Amino acid sequence: AAGAGTATVTANMIGQGTSAEIVTSPPDSLRFGEVKLGQSKDLNLTLSNTGNDTLRVSSVTVSNSAFAAPAASFPPLLPGASHQLSIRYIPRITRIDTGSVVISSNAANAPNLKLGLVGRGTEGPILEIRPTSLNFGNVRVDSVRVGVVRMRNAGGDTLKMTELRGLQPPFSVTPLTVPPLLAGDSTQVRVRFEPKVRGVFTDTLVVNSNGGTVELPVAGRGIRAELVITPEPLVFDTVAVGSSEELNLVITNPGDDTLKVTNIVSGTPSVFQPALIGLLVPPGGVQGVGVRFAPAVVGRVRSTLTLSTTVGLKTVQLVGIGRQPAVVEVRLVPVEFGNVAVGQKKAARVA
């Protein structure tokens, strides 16, 4: 019998390896364009798995703090699946910011996929107001004082004032509408203080704009002199015709502004004669005005005294009585001395 032999069998085996592959849209970078300071902008990056194995992203990191990626875990992507990744840009200063985002995964084609990031921070409109407050100080009642407020666009975009509000009488502002201001431009408004009564007044001008809301405190004090005259009426004692008597009118100013007495006019200047002098009476002050009564006839005499002052005209009643002057009768009586030697003297009684 023939000996047993060894047979060799050759088999052809065909197999396919598996791997995940990652592609992005956009493929190379995210461009945020211009973003105003204080605002943010999000852009989506689409990740797709073009391989035949599950794509697992282990980390997403960015290289510039002006950009941010979500901290949440990234879900596994089956072959053919996609997922959107949001990247946020938050500019902090006016400049061009550049950076990158690195996506680490099990992708065979790009285990550390890197894409560029670029954005530009720009200033929006910024409302700047000078002065930051208005104090009108003391203003006389029924007078007007005007303050100028300068509004400037300190930002990099057009400033639009949407509303000027808040002021009530005795304050007001003009104009009530302000045209748009380009970057660096300025304009003015006028704030008016017109007190009608005494007292301290405060208010706030509120300016609303697309560059922020600014509040401008305003304050002012209305002042006015006050006139009090005593006694009233001014009554004189009985005065003999041909004689005179002087009394004082007391002028008091209980107000908070200086009182000016510019003129004093008597209704009968030949009988009642005021001291024709200008007077300044400070707040809380007292001044006296002399008035002389010189009757020309017997009987009761009435008249008026009109004072012209910074708070208007004031009329005071005057009353006096003229009486008959006393009469002294002198009679001549002859006195007999008789004979008196030269160089001698002699006294005689007058009856």
Side-chain angles (χ1 to χ4, degrees):
T6 300
T8 299
V9 178
T10 301
N12 293 325
M13 302 182 67
I14 299 174
Q16 181 179 5
T18 60
S19 66
E21 293 189 359
I22 186 171
V23 296
T24 63
S25 178
D28 53 359
S29 65
L30 288 177
R31 297 182 176 273
F32 290 86
E34 292 186 351
V35 179
K36 294 175 182 177
L37 299 186
Q39 299 182 8
S40 64
K41 184 176 182 179
D42 293 338
L43 289 181
N44 287 328
L45 180 66
T46 301
L47 307 182
S48 299
N49 181 5
T50 59
N52 57 8
D53 195 7
T54 300
L55 175 68
R56 291 179 173 83
V57 176
S58 57
S59 65
V60 178
T61 58
V62 293
S63 63
N64 186 328
S65 62
F67 302 95
S73 60
F74 199 93
L77 288 182
L78 297 176
S82 297
H83 182 78
Q84 284 191 335
L85 174 67
S86 180
I87 306 295
R88 174 166 294 179
Y89 174 45
I90 310 173
R92 293 175 174 81
I93 59 175
T94 56
R95 69 177 183 187
I96 296 177
D97 289 300
T98 59
S100 62
V101 56
V102 177
I103 303 169
S104 300
S105 70
N106 65 333
N109 64 324
N112 292 292
L113 181 64
K114 184 176 181 179
L115 292 91
L117 303 173
V118 61
R120 181 182 180 186
T122 61
E123 281 189 329
I126 300 175
L127 174 60
E128 179 182 274
I129 290 183
R130 293 291 184 274
T132 56
S133 64
L134 272 181
N135 192 329
F136 292 91
N138 292 334
V139 178
R140 290 190 175 98
V141 170
D142 294 325
S143 297
V144 176
R145 187 168 294 171
V146 176
V148 175
V149 177
R150 181 172 176 263
M151 299 180 177
R152 178 176 175 269
N153 181 4
D157 201 358
T158 300
L159 175 68
K160 297 179 181 179
M161 254 78 72
T162 56
E163 185 181 30
L164 277 72
R165 61 178 174 85
L167 293 187
Q168 300 294 326
F171 299 102
S172 61
V173 60
T174 55
L176 289 174
T177 58
V178 178
L181 298 177
L182 299 178
D185 285 353
S186 63
T187 189
Q188 293 180 344
V189 297
R190 295 178 178 272
V191 178
R192 179 184 177 104
F193 177 48
E194 187 176 5
K196 296 297 183 182
V197 295
R198 293 171 56 192
V200 175
F201 302 89
T202 59
D203 209 337
T204 301
L205 173 64
V206 180
V207 183
N208 291 327
S209 75
N210 63 336
T213 296
V214 177
E215 295 185 352
L216 178 77
V218 296
R221 181 186 181 204
I223 61 172
R224 179 184 174 93
E226 301 289 346
L227 174 62
V228 176
I229 296 180
T230 55
E232 188 180 1
L234 184 62
V235 179
F236 291 84
D237 291 335
T238 301
V239 178
V241 173
S243 299
S244 65
E245 180 187 22
E246 183 172 302
L247 295 179
N248 269 339
L249 276 178
V250 178
I251 298 177
T252 304
N253 176 14
D256 42 27
D257 191 16
T258 298
L259 173 69
K260 296 179 181 179
V261 180
T262 56
N263 198 17
I264 304 175
V265 177
S266 171
T268 52
S270 62
V271 178
F272 294 99
Q273 302 156 3
L276 300 178
I277 57 173
L279 289 179
L280 294 178
V281 186
V286 177
Q287 291 279 7
V289 175
V291 181
R292 185 171 294 277
F293 173 48
V297 296
V298 175
R300 186 178 297 274
V301 181
R302 296 182 181 274
S303 188
T304 58
L305 203 63
T306 302
L307 289 79
S308 299
T309 75
T310 49
V311 296
L313 298 177
K314 175 68 174 179
T315 299
V316 180
Q317 300 297 318
L318 304 174
V319 180
I321 300 174
R323 62 175 174 80
Q324 188 69 40
V327 177
V328 178
E329 183 179 353
V330 179
R331 290 185 300 170
L332 298 179
V333 179
V335 178
E336 295 290 340
F337 288 93
N339 295 327
V340 180
V342 175
Q344 299 296 313
K345 59 183 180 179
K346 185 178 180 179
R349 184 183 296 277
V350 179

